[in-house]
Each structure stands twice: as C-alpha cells, then as structure tokens.
Amino acid sequence: MLPPARHFAPLHFLHPNRQQIAGAALLLALIASPAMAQDQAQSPPSFEDQVPQPSAEAEQTSTLPEPSLPAPGEQVSFEADGATYNDKTQELKVFGNVVLRQKGQSVRADAVTWDRTSGLIVAEGNVRFVDTEGNQLFTERLELSDEFKAGAMQDLLIVLREGGRLAARQGQRGADGKIELSQAAYTACAVEDSTGCPREPSWRITAKRVVYDPEAKTVRFYGSRIELFGIALLPLPPITLATDGRPISGLLIPDVQLSASNGVQLSETWYQRIGPNRDLSVTGYVFSKALPMISAQYKQLTGTGAFQVTGYATRSSRIPIGGVPASSQKDFRGYFYGNGKFQFTPNWGLTFSARLTSDRTFLRRYDISRDDRLRSTAELERIDNNSYFSVSGWATQTLRVNDVQGQVPFAIPVLDYRRRLDDPLLGGRVQLQVNTMAVTRSTGQDTQRGFASAQWDLRRLTPFGVELSVTGLVRGDIYHSDENALTSTASYRGNPGWQSRGVATIAFDAKYPLVGSLWGGTQVLTPRFQVVASPTLRNLAVPNEDARAIDLEDSNLFALNRFPGYDRVEDGVRFTYGIDWQFERPGWRVHSTIGQSYRLTVLPTLLPDGTGLSERTSDVVGRTEIRYQNFIQFTHRFRLDKDNFAIRRNEFDAAIGSQSTYLEVGYLRLNRDVGGGIEDLKDREELRVAGRVAFAGNWSFFGSGVFDLTGISDDPTLVGVDGFQPIRTRLGVAYQDDCLEFDVTWRRDYVTTGDARQGNIFQIHIAFRNLGF
C-alpha cells in the first residue's frame, strides 16, 4: 500500500501554464489506453521482465483519496511527496508517489519532470496508468513533447481489463494518435501462479510490429507467430483484437478432423460483427473424399428477445437407405436449424425451434448430430398469477431407418387454457382447463380431440401432523378420427368418426411425516396411503395419441392418472401405499421411496401385461438417491415383479469424483415381457460410461462409450446381435488452463447407414482465450 500522500498546491499555483501540465497527464492517458495484440519479433520481451501487475485492490485500497474529477482539458488532480522548480533551467520536477488523476483515469510514477526549455516531459520509475475502462499500462520511462504530438515508451507492459497482457521493448505515439510498438508479445494467460511466482504462459503471440488505435480501441499485429508451450509454430496472418473485450470481425481458429466418410476435413470460420446486437459466422469445409460444404449462423438480440438461424449446404453422393454404393447419386444436401425466444410483455411470450434436413444420413455423415429425429415446435404463451394460455404446434422429421415419414404425426394446433380459482366454501383450489389438439399424418390416421375439465384440490393438516389431501376431477372429451385402420397397433386406433367420453375421478391422499435424529443428522420417515376411484370408462373407443409409453415407475406411483397424456385414463378403484425416507447430515443426503398399488376390480384393463399395472396387485417400484457433497451422486430405480421378485426394471446413474477427475456410469435393463404388438414398450439393455483422469496439472485423459446390451431374448425381432454392440466410443487427451483448451479425440461409429459409414474419426481442437485471426 502507498504511504499517506502529502498534498501540494494545485497546478495553477506552481506555474501559470497549468493547462500544459494538464495536457501532459491527458496524453499519458491516451498513450496508456490498453491494447490487445500479437506478432513475432526477433527478440520479444518476456512477461516476467516487465513491471509486475499490482493486486486488483491496490488502486482502491490506497490511502490516497479519490477527488471529484474535472472534465477533460480542465485541471488535473495532482499529488506527490515533493516538488521542485528550477528558475534557471525552467525545469519542474515532482517526485515521491506522484499521482495524476483526471476523469476516472490515473497516472502513478516515482517522478515526473517537465523541461520547459526543451519541451520534454518525462515520467520515470514504476509508471502505471489506469484508464476509465480498467486497463493498465506499466513502463519504466515515458517521454512526451510539449505539443503532445509524439511520445516514447520503453520496456512497457499493458494489462487489459479482459485479462490479456501486451509487453513491448519500445513504443512510439504518432501524430495521428496511433501507437506503434516494436518487438512485442501478447498472451491472455496469467504470468503468475497462485503463490505469486512467475510462470511461463502456455501460449503467446510474438510480433515484429503492433499498431494500437486508441479511438477504435483495436490492436493489430504484423509479422506475428504463435508459440505453444514455448514452441514456435507457423506464422500467422494479420491479427486484430479489441481492447475492450468486444467481439470483432475476423477469422477464428480452424478445426481439423479425419473421418471414414469424408477423409481429411479442414474447417475455417469467418466471424462478422454486424452490430452490437447481431453477428454472422460463415464456415467453409474442405474434404479429401467429398465436395466442399458451407455453413452459416446468424444471431441477433432484439429488444424483446433473441433468435438464431443456422444452415448447411453441399452437393455430395447420397446412398439411399438400404442401397449400395453403385446406386449413389449426387444431390443437393443440407440442414436448417433455427430457434428463438421473445418476451413481448410480462405475460406474453413466444418460443420456437425448427429443424429440417435434406435426408436421413446427412447429419451423421458430416458429424453434425446423432439425433434420430428432428423436432420443430412453436408456442405462444400467456402466463399470469392465476391463468395460463398457449397455442402451439409440433412436427417431427424421422431419421430412423425403418420409420415411414408419412406415419409420423404433426400436431397443429394445440390449444391449452387453464384458470385457477379459490374455493369460497371449503377453502380449496379449483382449476378449470380447456384443451384441443389436431394430429395429422400424410399416410396415416388423423385425430382431433377436445376436452373441458374442472379439478378441485383441498389440503389440510390434522392436529396429529397428518397431511390430508382430497382431489376431485370431472372431464368431458370429444374425439373425431379417420383412417384408423392405418394404425398398426389395434389398442391405439379407437373407433372412427365422432366419439365422446366422460371422466370422473376422486382421490384421497394421506401422509404422516415422522421426524427424528439419526447418526448425527436428521431423518424423516413418511408413510403414505392413497385411494383413487373412477367409473368404468370408454377408453378403447377413443384414439390413443399421447398416452402410449405407459410403465409403472416411482414418478407416477401416486399420480392421479398413471398414463402419460390425456387419451387414456386409468379407471376402477385402487389403493396405493408406500414409504418415503429421507436422511440428512452435513455433507450427506439420502432419499429413498418404495411403493405398490392394489386394484379392487378383477376385470381386464387396458394396461398391457408387463407394465406392472395390468393385474390387481401391481409390481413394487422404488428409487434411492445418495449424495455426498459434490463428490458422490448415485440414483437407483427399480421395479420388482410382484410374484417372484424378478427385476423388471433396473436402472442406475452414478457419478464419483471432482470436475477434473471423475467417473460416470449409467445402466438400464428393462425386462418387462410386454407383448410384441406394443412397439413403444420393447425390452432393452444399455450401458453408458464416461470418465476423465487429470494428470500433470492441466492435462487429462478422457473417454466415453455407449453399448447396446440388448439380446435376442429381449427383442426377438433383432437379427445378428450378440448382446454386446458398441454404439459410440470416444477416447482422447486434453489440456486446459485459464487461457488455452487443446484436445485430440478419437471416436468410432459402429453402424453404417447409407453414406454415413462406420469407422474411426480423429479430431484436433484448439481454442485460445481472447484470440481470433
């Protein structure tokens, strides 16, 4: 910390020409305006040789007061430990913790001398300038003429607000206000470790010449070369950086990739800053085994929201699904993606997303996406404290090999309105809902649906601590459908033409939380019991579009309707019982639940065998979550057969480790024995593994894999499977610090689909902080 300042008279007291000294301080500010840059010099400076950066708090914690600052061109605040003026030599000198302040800027030095005879102004010794944006300049000596048209600096260091550092042997300010540096080096890396000791940056740019434009707030490098881990790489084209951290137009770092489908791939992106709220990125791709491809992405921020659109286009050989190379044909191929969100008023908002590709293998071949379907949606919403209204639409493009696009539905429009009201009689809450949906297929069943419902909820606590809830629901549905025979699963079709259905449900729910201490922490044991009753409904008379993937899980065990969606409603009377247990102590959290349900009716239900719900007594389901700080996370879900306790669902996700070294494992086994006619409920087994091991500080090995363990015993329709089929695997090595990301990755795809071939993919990716070409 600087010692307490001794304040001397203002400049006008020292000499009548106070404006010239004020101008000198202002010119110091102009020269010190920060710059970000890079380029190669024959003898570039070392960042460790420059003046070290003081602590971020130094400027604020100094005992020097912060005066009210005058406007530019006016009096400059002046502080020093001492001052002398020689009448014979016409030399003014101030020394000892010299501080000049003006309009949010400050200059500190050991001494400042003004020779009025020669017109030379010199600041010497630990010169430090801080501009209005927080950028800092350090140098040992700064020279200025009395006309302030030119200046010289030696052994200077510029510390930018965005974290970059620019060091140079010499600097000169020209008459046009631009500053030219020679033998310069730039890096965005920290040059000190956590203990304050010097360290070599992982990368830097050396340059023969650097030009800083203080008006445009840009730095441009000439004759530059990048050094990575001390090794000089190829020369670079001219580079321009912004000193205030804003994006500017220019080339980005290229990517290199090798794949079985396209050979060697080199991609380069031009970033165009169109305005403060919008930009455009155009990327060119060159392949050794395919014609070039181009992509573009446009992003814009508006006063009410933001949106972006992305497009890919090329012309290449496309092998039809199931075809052979001889049948390939060259077509235009591409992909479009756009999304956005707008909030017009506090209540009204719009969200949309659109995805469309020219064919089913384009995204896989060019390593853009591994999705097997592309969803497009738009939704206009109005939300307030007690009501909700939305108009939405959904469309899906399938990329699955055996799916028929004409059988894939699109839903336009979907309308939903809900209104909450207070119950003036019993103190409960009433929710009214109106919903409509139209599902259309080009070569399949079409369905239109509408319903209106009213739901009443009441919750009370007894003097003994029991939480009681009562729910009542009434609903009226109307459906219209045609071409029903085109739906392959009979239970999904419903009757053609107009159909109606009435729904009435009442439910009672009781919870009794018991709180106590355990193992130095707190446990809560909550028995729960529920009764739900509905009359027999005309479920099979109406189509099923949104309630197909039914399966008993812990998440829907106590749901009012355990079918997803609205088209199927569980009828009859059932009792559901279960126990929740929660334990917490410092660092630990354990939550477990288990439950089962029992139906009174013995009549067959619309619930398929194997879902755990088709018989009077359901299967047993549960979930356990264990968490220890941020080091261990474990979740296990299960379903046990009620008759022999066979595991019908076994799923767990586990993660252990820190951000730098960790292991993640996911496993799913569905052994439901559902009939072959239900395509949405097939059995399967899958393993997912991912991990990273850090070593040598900033280096790490990483890998991941997805493996299909489904065998013929699980799905008899499969052909040529052995119960272990890798889907995707990845291995790589990476380096990451505060300013550099670098990784080399190997991936392998094991399935050939059309022109998206199985094989190895090698990729090199590198990213520098605060650096683009």
Side-chain angles (χ1 to χ4, degrees):
M1 180 179 292
L2 295 174
R6 298 195 301 273
H7 302 282
F8 286 78
L11 297 181
H12 66 271
F13 181 82
L14 294 174
H15 199 275
N17 294 333
R18 63 184 185 274
Q19 295 300 332
Q20 289 182 303
I21 296 183
L26 289 176
L27 189 55
L28 284 171
L30 289 176
I31 291 182
S33 296
M36 298 173 59
Q38 304 108 307
D39 284 48
Q40 168 72 11
Q42 294 180 354
S43 178
S46 170
F47 290 98
E48 288 76 11
D49 295 337
Q50 308 302 319
V51 181
Q53 180 184 4
S55 64
E57 294 81 10
E59 183 75 19
Q60 298 178 353
T61 59
S62 171
T63 56
L64 293 171
E66 296 291 341
S68 176
L69 300 173
E74 298 180 0
Q75 175 178 301
V76 176
S77 300
F78 179 88
E79 302 168 7
D81 291 343
T84 62
Y85 181 72
N86 191 321
D87 289 325
K88 295 181 180 181
T89 61
Q90 294 290 298
E91 184 178 84
L92 170 66
K93 183 174 183 178
V94 292
F95 52 86
N97 298 318
V98 179
V99 181
L100 303 176
R101 288 193 180 93
Q102 197 276 332
K103 197 65 176 179
Q105 305 173 112
S106 66
V107 177
R108 297 174 183 261
D110 292 342
V112 175
T113 302
W114 177 28
D115 188 336
R116 298 189 63 229
T117 302
S118 63
L120 182 65
I121 300 173
V122 180
E124 295 180 296
N126 298 315
V127 179
R128 177 195 179 204
F129 169 78
V130 181
D131 73 355
T132 56
E133 296 180 350
N135 303 293
Q136 304 175 66
L137 166 69
F138 299 90
T139 185
E140 283 298 309
R141 179 181 173 83
L142 177 67
E143 296 182 1
L144 303 169
S145 71
D146 58 356
E147 295 181 357
F148 317 121
K149 297 296 185 181
M153 296 166 282
Q154 295 180 348
D155 295 331
L156 61 97
L157 172 67
I158 298 175
V159 180
L160 306 177
R161 183 193 65 181
E162 299 300 320
R165 288 167 170 79
L166 175 63
R169 293 297 185 194
Q170 296 178 344
Q172 183 73 33
R173 182 181 186 275
D176 58 357
K178 296 181 180 179
I179 301 173
E180 183 170 324
L181 307 175
S182 59
Q183 299 183 20
Y186 168 81
T187 185
C189 307
V191 296
E192 294 181 350
D193 59 21
S194 57
T195 63
C197 297
R199 77 170 191 181
E200 286 291 334
S202 55
W203 66 269
R204 70 172 185 168
I205 299 292
T206 56
K208 296 178 180 178
R209 186 168 67 97
V210 176
V211 176
Y212 166 57
D213 187 337
E215 182 175 350
K217 297 181 181 180
T218 59
V219 179
R220 188 164 181 83
F221 298 83
Y222 299 90
S224 60
R225 183 184 297 269
I226 189 167
E227 294 182 3
L228 187 63
F229 303 116
I231 301 174
L233 303 181
L234 296 175
L236 300 177
I239 301 173
T240 302
L241 300 176
T243 62
D244 55 1
R246 75 185 188 279
I248 59 176
S249 302
L251 293 172
L252 304 182
I253 305 298
D255 281 335
V256 179
Q257 182 172 300
L258 174 65
S259 68
S261 298
N262 302 310
V264 178
Q265 169 187 319
L266 176 65
S267 62
E268 177 62 289
T269 299
W270 174 269
Y271 173 83
Q272 182 64 44
R273 180 76 166 175
I274 302 175
N277 65 329
R278 61 187 187 275
D279 57 45
L280 174 67
S281 300
V282 179
T283 303
Y285 302 81
V286 179
F287 312 97
S288 62
K289 293 183 179 180
L291 294 175
M293 181 174 68
I294 189 172
S295 70
Q297 181 182 65
Y298 177 81
K299 296 182 292 185
Q300 181 171 339
L301 177 67
T302 71
T304 57
F307 70 94
Q308 65 174 353
V309 292
T310 302
Y312 291 79
T314 187
R315 182 177 177 82
S316 65
S317 298
R318 177 176 60 86
I319 301 175
I321 300 297
V324 295
S327 65
S328 66
Q329 54 189 23
K330 287 187 177 180
D331 294 327
F332 167 82
R333 307 179 70 183
Y335 169 62
F336 172 81
Y337 169 59
N339 69 329
K341 183 176 179 62
F342 296 91
Q343 194 68 39
F344 304 115
T345 70
N347 301 117
W348 285 95
L350 173 66
T351 304
F352 67 88
S353 174
R355 302 180 69 188
L356 184 65
T357 185
S358 59
D359 55 83
R360 302 194 185 194
T361 60
F362 177 80
L363 297 182
R364 272 198 56 201
R365 169 170 179 171
Y366 291 97
D367 200 26
I368 300 172
S369 172
R370 288 296 185 271
D371 293 340
D372 61 0
R373 67 192 71 183
L374 303 181
R375 294 185 177 91
S376 299
T377 180
E379 184 172 27
L380 177 66
E381 293 179 297
R382 186 189 186 281
I383 305 174
D384 60 28
N385 292 334
N386 292 302
S387 69
Y388 172 81
F389 172 74
S390 74
V391 180
S392 61
W394 299 80
T396 301
Q397 180 184 9
T398 183
L399 305 184
R400 295 181 176 182
V401 174
N402 297 320
D403 283 359
V404 179
Q405 181 63 48
Q407 294 287 336
V408 178
F410 58 91
I412 300 176
V414 180
L415 284 80
D416 191 49
Y417 175 75
R418 308 180 193 189
R419 179 77 180 179
R420 293 191 307 188
L421 305 171
D422 292 329
D423 176 9
L425 299 178
L426 301 176
R429 181 64 64 91
V430 176
Q431 176 176 289
L432 306 177
Q433 182 179 7
V434 177
N435 181 281
T436 66
M437 179 181 71
V439 174
T440 304
R441 297 175 177 86
S442 59
T443 59
Q445 178 175 333
D446 297 335
T447 302
Q448 299 84 42
R449 179 197 70 199
F451 72 79
S453 69
Q455 180 173 321
W456 172 74
D457 294 283
L458 178 66
R459 176 178 173 272
R460 289 288 184 266
L461 292 175
T462 70
F464 302 101
V466 179
E467 179 184 339
L468 298 176
S469 300
V470 182
T471 300
L473 170 71
V474 292
R475 197 177 88 194
D477 304 340
I478 186 168
Y479 284 81
H480 179 269
S481 60
D482 53 25
E483 304 289 348
N484 300 58
L486 297 178
T487 297
S488 58
T489 303
S491 61
Y492 295 163
R493 297 171 182 168
N495 298 330
W498 291 96
Q499 304 293 330
S500 62
R501 179 181 62 179
V503 178
T505 302
I506 187 168
F508 299 90
D509 199 315
K511 301 178 184 178
Y512 190 21
L514 305 171
V515 183
S517 59
L518 179 68
W519 301 327
T522 302
Q523 66 169 333
V524 180
L525 183 67
T526 307
R528 184 174 181 182
F529 181 77
Q530 182 192 60
V531 181
V532 180
S534 295
T536 302
L537 304 174
R538 299 181 66 244
N539 275 300
L540 295 178
V542 301
N544 181 4
E545 297 284 2
D546 65 1
R548 298 183 175 184
I550 175 64
D551 197 14
L552 180 62
E553 303 176 359
D554 62 278
S555 60
N556 63 9
L557 177 63
F558 288 94
L560 199 64
N561 178 29
R562 292 184 286 199
F563 278 97
Y566 298 103
D567 291 338
R568 291 291 181 264
V569 179
E570 191 175 359
D571 53 11
V573 179
R574 69 177 186 269
F575 302 96
T576 306
Y577 40 86
I579 295 178
D580 291 335
W581 180 70
Q582 182 171 310
F583 168 74
E584 291 188 7
R585 61 167 298 174
W588 285 92
R589 185 180 187 275
V590 181
H591 183 208
S592 183
T593 183
I594 188 171
Q596 187 180 34
S597 66
Y598 178 82
R599 301 172 57 88
L600 289 184
T601 179
V602 296
L603 297 176
T605 71
L606 71 163
L607 295 157
D609 291 335
T611 60
L613 292 166
S614 57
E615 300 185 22
R616 296 185 66 173
T617 303
S618 77
D619 289 347
V620 179
V621 296
R623 182 189 76 251
T624 298
E625 298 177 358
I626 301 175
R627 180 163 185 165
Y628 173 67
Q629 296 181 351
N630 289 324
F631 187 73
I632 297 176
Q633 298 180 57
F634 176 82
T635 301
H636 179 236
R637 299 178 180 88
F638 66 90
R639 176 158 68 87
L640 303 178
D641 191 289
K642 63 178 178 52
D643 296 322
N644 54 14
F645 295 104
I647 301 177
R648 298 303 180 190
R649 181 188 189 98
N650 188 19
E651 178 182 7
F652 68 83
D653 291 281
I656 180 171
S658 61
Q659 289 185 347
S660 58
T661 298
Y662 60 85
L663 175 65
E664 297 178 348
V665 179
Y667 174 79
L668 172 63
R669 165 73 167 165
L670 298 177
N671 182 26
R672 299 174 290 192
D673 291 332
V674 180
I678 309 296
E679 70 270 19
D680 301 280
L681 301 174
K682 292 183 178 180
D683 290 339
R684 61 190 178 97
E685 188 174 7
E686 180 181 278
L687 175 66
R688 305 177 306 277
V689 180
R692 183 179 294 270
V693 177
F695 67 96
N698 298 311
W699 290 89
S700 64
F701 289 116
F702 61 89
S704 64
V706 179
F707 307 92
D708 187 355
L709 307 181
T710 307
I712 296 178
S713 60
D714 301 311
D715 187 353
T717 64
L718 297 177
V719 178
V721 299
D722 57 5
F724 184 85
Q725 177 63 47
I727 303 301
R728 291 184 301 275
T729 54
R730 182 179 70 154
L731 292 174
V733 60
Y735 176 90
Q736 182 176 7
D737 60 19
D738 61 318
C739 63
L740 172 66
E741 293 182 9
F742 170 77
D743 61 74
V744 179
T745 305
W746 164 81
R747 298 201 318 270
R748 181 170 179 84
D749 285 341
Y750 294 86
V751 179
T752 294
T753 305
D755 57 326
R757 302 172 185 171
Q758 66 177 0
N760 299 318
I761 298 175
F762 298 91
Q763 184 174 29
I764 299 176
H765 172 74
I766 186 168
F768 300 93
R769 178 187 173 197
N770 290 348
L771 177 62
F773 291 169

